Amino acid sequence: MPAKGKYFFNENDDCRISDPLYEKYRYTSQQHPLLLLLLFIAIIFWTTLIIIFFVTDEAHYHLAFIIAVCAALVIFAVMYLLLCIESLFRRWLTLFGVMIWICFLIIGYVSLFEKENDYQLWEQVPFFLFIIFTVYTMLPFGMRGAVIISVLSALSHIIVLSIMVSMTSQENKESILFQLLANAVIFLCGNLMGAFHKRQMQVASWDLYRYTLKCIQVRMKLKIEKRQQENLLLSILPAHISMEMKLAIIERLKETNDNRQMHDNNFHSLYVKRHQNVSILYADIVGFTRLASDCSPKELVVMLNELFGKFDQIAKENECMRIKILGDCYYCVSGLPVSLPVHARNCVKMGLDMCEAIKQVREATGVDINMRVGIHSGNVLCGVIGLRKWQYDVWSHDVSLANRMESAGVPGRVHITEATLNHLGKAYEVEEGNGHLRDPYLESMNIKTYLVVDPRSKQCVSNNHLPKTRVNDGLKMRASVRMTRYLESWGAARPFAHLNHRESVSSDSSSSQGRRRKEIPLCSTGHQRTSDRNSSQKGRIEEDIYDEMMSTIEGLSSTNPWCGKSDDFCGFSLIFAEPGLEKEYRTIPILKLKSYFACASFVFLCIFLIQMFIMPKTAKLGISFGIVAVIIVLILFVCFAEKCMKCCSEQRPFLHHLCAISEKVETMPLLRLPLAVIAIGALLIIAIFNLTTEKNKPANFTGSNDLCATTYPFGNTTQSCVEETYYAYCCILGFIACSVFLQMSFELKVLLLSIAVTVYLIIFNTLQHKNLSFYGNSTRLFTKEPRIMTNLYLVLFYITLVLLAKQIDYYCRLDCLWKNKFKKEHEQFETMENVNRLLLENVLPAHVAAYFIGEKRNEDWYHQSYDCVCVMFASVPDFKVFYTECDVNKEGLECLRLLNEIIADFDELLLKPKFSGVEKIKTIGSTYMAAAGLSVTPGQENNQG
C-alpha cells in the first residue's frame, strides 16, 4: 500500500500522475470499464462474423481466418473473466492491452493474406483505423505507448500492402501512390483524433482526481475543525444543552434566510431544566491561596490545570459532571443529565479520592495544603443564562446548602448532610460532623451533618516511599516549584488537548491514572507528551484522507452506467434524479468546446484530401466542399473571434458584438448546440454527398481516375467500387468527428449518429452499380467485398462510438455529481462551523478559542499577564431572598427567567460600540463579572477603561 502521507498536500503542492492512488482511480474510473467494453464489442463483432460464415456456407473455404477469430474469441473471453476479478489482475492490465492489440493485428493480416495474389490497397483500412482509434480511447496505454502502437499499426498496413500490391498488381504507380496517400490521411486523422480524445480524457480524469482529493482534504479539515469546535464546546457545555442551542440557532437562521416572520417572544430563550434526586459536591483546596501568591502566572496555570485535570479524571471515573471551577473551588453533580440511583455514592467516592490525591501531594512535596469537601443531595435547576459567555451552572437551595457544607467542613474529610446519608445506606461509615458549630446557617436550618470515614485510612502505612535524600533535595525548591514538578508527573491532559483526537480522552491521560509517583521529578514531561501527540495527530489526519479517497474509489467501482441501479441516476438514460442538478448539468460550461470545432475542421480537411486523391475532380465536388468550407470557417471565426480581435488593429462595432458572442459559445447551450449540429451535420453530409450526385455517372478513367483502373477476377472494372469504398471511409471519419465533441449532449450525438448510419446504410445498399457482382467468386473472403465490408464497419463504428459516448457521458455526469455533493457537504460543514463558532464566541473570547482550534492549534496552557486592567463585579441585590421554590414559580424556574432577562440586558449593553473594550468574564449565581483591558494586542490595555 502506498504511503498515505503523500496525499495530504497543500494548495501549492503538486502530486504526480504516477501516484499509485491516482493509478488506482484511473483504473477504476476509465481503464477497467473501457477495456471490458472493448472486449465486449470485439466478442460480439467476431461472433457475428463466424455466424455469417456458417450461414453463407463458406466456412470450409476460410479455415485460417475462422481459426484465428476463434482463438481470439477464447483469449478475449478469458480476459473478460479475469478482468472481473480486478483486485488480482490489475497489475496485468498493460499486458492485456498488448495481447488485445496483437490479436487485432493478427486477424487483420490473416484476412488480408487469406488468398494469395488477391490484394487491394483499400482492404482492411477501416479495421486498422478501428485498431488505431481504440488504442487511444479504450486500451490501457499511456499517451506515448498509444502513439507508438498506433503509428506502428498504420505504418505496417501501408508498408505491407504497398509492397504486396506493387509486386502483384498491374496498376500504375500513380494509382498506388494516390491510394496510399488516402490511406495515410485516414490513419493520420484517426491518430490525431484518438490522441485528442485520450488527452482530453486524461486531463478530465486528472482534474477530477485532484478536485476530489482536494475536496476530501478540505472536507477532512472542516471535519477536524468542526470536531475541535464541538469538543471545545462540549468541554464547557454538556451535550444536551449545546445540542438544544444549536437547533435553536439553526432554526433562527432558517427563519432569517426564508424571510419568515420570527415568533414574538417577550422573553429571551431560557435553557434551564429541573432535575431531581442528584448529589452536589463542593470542594475547596485549603492553603492554596497562600501558595498561589508565590507563583508566576504560568506556574499558577500549570498547577491549577494539573490539579483540576486530575479531579476531572476522578469525576469521570465516578460518573460525576464537573459544573464549574471558581478559583480553587471545584464543584460537580452526580445524576446529570441522566438520573443515577447511586448518585450519592458517586459523590462521596469522588470526595474521598480528591482528599487522597491532595494527601499524596502534601506527603510528596511537603506543601501544607488540604482538601475540604461538602456534599448534599436534593434537586437542582441546571443550564445556562444570559446571551454571552455561557457557562453551565446549577441553582437551587440544595446547591446553596452544599456550598455551606463545604465551607463548614473539615480539611481532609468529606462532609455530608443527612439527606445524602439516607441515599448512601450502609455503604460508608460516618461520624458526627457537627457542622452547626462551624456555620450559623446550618444551625438555623437545623441541618444535621456527618463526616465520612475513608476505608483507606484504616490501612496502616508502615514505610515511606519517598527516599530521604530526595525529600531534602525537593525541600530546597520553592513550594510552587515542588508542586508544579510533582503535579506534572500525574500526566493530566492539557486544556482542550483532545480536540483533534477521535476519543475524548487521550491515551496518555488514561494510561497515567495508574502512575502515582511519590518523588518529585527534576524535569517536566509535558513537552514530550505534546510533541508525541502532535506527531501522531498528522498521521491520523493523513490516514483519514487516504481512507476517504479509497472509499470514494471503491464507491466508483460499485456503480455502473449500464446497470441503471443508482440513487443518483434514473435508469439507463443516466438522467439525474434531482431535477435541479439535471438542469445544472445541461447548462454547465464546456471549456474545451472550441478545440472540438478545430478537430472537426481537421476531419473536414482530411475528407477533402481523401476525395481529391480518389474521386473524379468535378465541379460539383469543388462547389460542395467550398460551401462546407465556408460554413466551417464561419463557425471557427465565431469561436475564435476574441483571439482574432487581438491581431486586428482596427476595432469595428460589429467585431465587438462578434467577440461577445464568441465569449458565450462555451457557456450558452442555445448557441453552442446549433453550432455543433451545423458543424457535425455538414461533415456527415459532405462525406457522402458526391456519391449520391454521381450515382448515374458512367465510369470514366482520366487523370486521377486511372487510380482504380484494375479488374477483379470476375472481370468488371473497379473504379466505382473503389470510390464507393472510400466514401464509406469518409463516413466513418464523420462518425469520429462527431465523437470528439466529448462533453456535448449524449442524446444529440446518438441522434446524429443514428440518422447518419441509417442514411448511409440505405445509400450504400441501394445505389448498386449494375455491372458489379460481389459474389462472383464464392471462395473469396466476404470481408474483402467492399459492400459487405462497408455495412459491417459502419455498424461497428456506430456501436463503438455510441457506447464510448455513453461512457463519457457517465464520466461527465459523475464529475458534475461529485462536485455538487462536495459543494453541498461544504455548505453543510460551513453552516455547522458557523453555528459552533457562534456558540464558542458566546463561551470563550475569540482570541482564546482561536488559540486552541485551527491548523495552528496550540496545546500549551493559555495564560496572559496584563499590566493594567479593570475588573467589575455587579450583583443583583437580595436575589437569594427573591429566589423561592414553589409550585407557583415552577420550583424556582421563573425566578431564574427573571435573572436571565437581567443578565441578557447586561450582555446586550456590551454589544454597543462604546463598550467594545469590555469583556464579559462569567456569571456567578446572580453576580455579573466583566473586565476591561484584556486586549489581544499588547500595549492596548492601558487605553481600555
Side-chain angles (χ1 to χ4, degrees), residues 796-853:
L796 174 64
F797 273 90
Y798 168 76
I799 295 174
T800 301
L801 295 177
V802 167
L803 295 180
L804 188 60
K806 178 71 173 177
Q807 194 73 30
I808 294 171
D809 182 58
Y810 172 67
Y811 296 151
C812 296
R813 288 180 176 273
L814 197 65
D815 175 71
C816 180
L817 177 66
W818 281 6
K819 290 181 178 179
N820 183 268
K821 285 186 175 182
F822 283 132
K823 180 181 177 182
K824 287 184 177 180
E825 286 181 359
H826 191 80
E827 291 174 352
Q828 291 173 357
F829 277 116
E830 281 186 341
T831 300
M832 292 307 300
E833 180 188 12
N834 292 334
V835 171
N836 288 335
R837 193 173 296 278
L838 181 60
L839 289 173
L840 283 178
E841 289 175 356
N842 288 317
V843 173
L844 292 174
H847 64 283
V848 178
Y851 185 83
F852 293 110
I853 62 176

Side-chain angles (χ1 to χ4, degrees), residues 1-7 18-22 24 90 546 550:
M1 185 172 64
K4 300 179 178 66
K6 69 196 300 182
Y7 306 113
S18 60
D19 285 342
L21 189 58
Y22 173 66
K24 179 173 177 59
R90 183 162 61 94
Y546 178 86
M550 289 299 295

Side-chain angles (χ1 to χ4, degrees), residues 263-557:
H263 303 292
D264 294 332
N265 195 345
N266 295 325
F267 298 99
H268 294 90
S269 299
L270 180 65
Y271 303 102
V272 176
K273 291 185 178 180
R274 180 175 177 81
H275 292 267
Q276 297 178 337
N277 295 324
V278 299
S279 291
I280 309 105
L281 178 148
Y282 271 81
D284 186 70
I285 304 175
V286 181
F288 187 81
T289 303
R290 183 176 66 256
L291 178 66
S293 62
D294 297 331
C295 296
S296 66
K298 182 175 181 179
E299 288 175 340
L300 181 60
V301 170
V302 172
M303 193 183 306
L304 286 173
N305 176 73
E306 295 292 340
L307 277 173
F308 293 134
K310 182 66 174 179
F311 295 162
D312 286 342
Q313 293 176 14
I314 297 173
K316 184 178 181 181
E317 292 171 0
N318 293 286
E319 297 182 290
C320 295
M321 178 186 288
R322 195 271 304 276
I323 301 300
K324 192 178 290 188
I325 297 171
L326 298 174
D328 60 344
C329 178
Y330 184 102
Y331 65 100
C332 62
V333 176
S334 181
L336 287 180
V338 180
S339 179
L340 296 173
V342 292
H343 55 85
R345 295 184 187 181
N346 291 340
C347 277
V348 170
K349 178 65 167 56
M350 178 173 177
L352 293 174
D353 289 345
M354 294 172 78
C355 292
E356 179 65 19
I358 293 297
K359 177 184 175 183
Q360 292 176 10
V361 175
R362 184 175 65 250
E363 292 176 354
T365 63
V367 179
D368 185 19
I369 60 172
N370 216 325
M371 180 63 74
R372 189 170 58 223
V373 180
I375 300 175
H376 174 61
S377 301
N379 305 322
V380 296
L381 291 167
C382 60
V384 297
I385 60 174
L387 301 178
R388 303 183 65 195
K389 298 299 184 293
W390 290 315
Q391 288 189 347
Y392 191 68
D393 210 342
V394 290
W395 303 267
S396 71
H397 289 315
D398 292 325
V399 174
S400 301
L401 180 55
N403 192 8
R404 290 283 185 172
M405 290 294 295
E406 178 272 317
S407 60
V410 177
R413 303 297 298 274
V414 177
H415 193 207
I416 65 174
T417 61
E418 190 173 12
T420 302
L421 181 62
N422 293 335
H423 285 89
L424 285 177
K426 296 181 180 181
Y428 291 94
E429 295 182 11
V430 295
E431 301 172 352
E432 289 292 331
N434 299 319
H436 63 283
L437 301 178
R438 296 182 294 275
D439 191 291
Y441 177 79
L442 297 178
E443 184 178 10
S444 64
M445 298 299 294
N446 195 23
I447 302 297
K448 192 172 183 179
T449 66
Y450 303 90
L451 296 174
V452 178
V453 177
D454 190 349
R456 287 169 289 199
S457 64
K458 297 180 180 181
Q459 300 175 1
C460 297
V461 181
S462 57
N463 57 342
N464 192 345
H465 296 283
L466 184 64
K468 182 70 175 179
T469 57
R470 195 69 182 183
V471 174
N472 293 336
D473 291 342
L475 292 177
K476 293 178 183 178
M477 305 178 190
R478 287 187 295 115
S480 60
V481 176
R482 297 200 303 272
M483 279 282 292
T484 303
R485 295 285 178 84
Y486 178 78
L487 292 175
E488 284 185 343
S489 70
W490 276 358
R494 299 193 177 202
F496 315 121
H498 63 287
L499 296 183
N500 260 342
H501 294 190
R502 295 172 182 172
E503 296 80 23
S504 58
V505 180
S506 67
S507 58
D508 294 329
S509 302
S510 60
S511 63
S512 65
Q513 295 175 7
R515 295 182 300 175
R516 296 188 175 183
R517 299 174 59 181
K518 291 285 185 156
E519 59 184 43
I520 305 173
L522 298 180
C523 61
S524 172
T525 61
H527 177 72
Q528 183 179 0
R529 283 200 312 273
T530 303
S531 61
D532 292 342
R533 190 181 298 123
N534 288 336
S535 61
S536 63
Q537 184 59 43
K538 184 178 180 181
R540 280 197 296 269
I541 297 171
E542 294 172 350
E543 183 181 351
D544 288 342
I545 293 176
Y546 178 86
D547 293 341
E548 189 76 14
M549 192 65 193
M550 289 299 295
S551 176
T552 302
I553 294 174
E554 290 172 1
L556 177 64
S557 63

Side-chain angles (χ1 to χ4, degrees), residues 206-253:
W206 178 243
D207 289 344
L208 181 57
Y209 168 77
R210 279 191 58 87
Y211 178 84
T212 303
L213 195 58
K214 281 186 177 292
C215 284
I216 289 175
Q217 179 182 352
V218 171
R219 183 168 66 185
M220 295 305 299
K221 288 181 178 180
L222 288 173
K223 280 184 178 180
I224 292 168
E225 186 174 351
K226 178 174 173 283
R227 185 166 64 231
Q228 289 175 353
Q229 292 176 348
E230 287 181 347
N231 290 338
L232 181 57
L233 188 63
L234 293 177
S235 299
I236 303 169
L237 297 177
H240 65 284
I241 291 292
S242 63
M243 184 57 64
E244 185 179 353
M245 290 179 165
K246 282 183 184 179
L247 293 176
I249 292 174
I250 292 174
E251 183 63 27
R252 203 176 307 153
L253 290 174

Side-chain angles (χ1 to χ4, degrees), residues 73-86:
L73 277 175
V74 172
I75 294 173
F76 282 15
V78 172
M79 285 185 187
Y80 195 92
L81 293 176
L82 292 179
L83 284 172
C84 293
I85 316 174
E86 55 185 272

